[in-house]
Amino acid sequence: MKIKWITTLCAVALTTFATSATVAADKFPAKPIQVIIPFQPGDTDNMLRPYLERMHEFLGQQVMLIYKPGAGGAIGAGSVANSAPDGYTLVGTSPGSIVVVPLANKDVKYSTDDFEPIAAFTEGGFMLVVSSSSGWNSIDELVKHSKDKPDEVTFTSSGAMGITHLLAEAFTNEAGVKWRHIPYKGSAPAITALLGGHVDMASSAIAPAQAHIQAGTLKPLAVFGETRLKAYPDVPTLKELGYNMGSPAYYGILAPAGTPPEVINTIYEAAKKVDEKYGEEIAKNLAVMGAQVKLLNPQEYKEYLAGQKALFGDAVKSLIQ
């Protein structure tokens, strides 16, 4: 009788524990979620903030942005790759820090496979932009000047071996010109350097350059991507100018690999509800930054990143040989 009583008690305890564990899992999130932004404020965060700031309404917890810039995004992204796969530490980024940096830097200890895509929110873009006083009004004029005076033209980016740097380097290889790279830690400081006359041009995300383009102090020569941007219908793509430089940029959030599918789905569903309720309003806000809404589910986002890895693989190899 005593053994039977003990066995029954243990069974009750195990059932209670299992039930408690299930309730705990069902209650995700039970505390605020941190989204690590691996760049300085002023670019990537602007692409993500319209969604992240509204997700608390559907998650019941705050979603906080934490900035960890450096090494083209590797510092912040790497910290997330090494975080507990519990859904409470995510990374918010473009494909640069997740795809390009691991390909370009052998010292980076993570890869795309160390992340679990949750959702992409926004389709942004990159452009080659110069000062309005530069005298260059087209890519052809810039290329001609660069060939006439090799190594004279300087350009900046959001960081060495980051996506804006590598896109520009890939362009110079295809155009047969040489530029000197002067990197800054973030797109906003890079644009400031361009405005101050410290460099001749910038390979930049659109958001940090937008206000200065509208003010007439900066001039976009071309955009990277498959099609012209709705916000800049008169600015040609490099692809239509004859260069093989089509590369749309989707900004989204990812969790460490191994994060439970139900946690991934809970976060994605919150993003989906934000899109359903606020999508039209968000689209208007993004248009001001030259971007647009592009919600991808976890599988779609995963497939996009795989495509980006294939796209940049050969280009990165040629740049680091």
Side-chain angles (χ1 to χ4, degrees), residues 259-293:
T259 301
E262 59 269 23
V263 171
I264 298 292
N265 188 62
T266 295
I267 301 172
Y268 168 70
E269 286 298 323
K272 185 178 178 181
K273 289 175 181 176
V274 169
D275 187 69
E276 292 170 351
K277 185 173 182 178
Y278 299 106
E280 187 173 338
E281 178 184 342
I282 291 173
K284 292 178 181 178
N285 293 337
L286 290 174
V288 176
M289 298 182 283
Q292 54 198 20
V293 167

Side-chain angles (χ1 to χ4, degrees), residues 69-129:
I75 293 175
S79 72
V80 174
N82 293 319
S83 296
D86 56 13
Y88 290 106
T89 303
L90 313 176
V91 62
T93 186
S94 69
S97 62
I98 301 299
V99 176
V100 176
V101 170
L103 288 172
N105 190 340
K106 63 182 180 180
D107 294 326
V108 171
K109 303 303 182 185
Y110 66 83
S111 72
T112 311
D113 295 334
D114 292 316
F115 300 92
E116 195 67 45
I118 299 175
F121 302 142
T122 305
E123 181 180 359
F126 302 100
M127 60 171 51
L128 292 175
V129 60

Side-chain angles (χ1 to χ4, degrees), residues 52-70:
L52 297 178
E53 286 185 338
R54 293 174 169 88
M55 286 174 65
H56 71 88
E57 180 179 339
F58 305 103
L59 289 170
Q61 294 287 344
Q62 293 294 323
V63 178
M64 304 183 300
L65 275 63
I66 308 295
Y67 296 91
K68 290 187 179 181

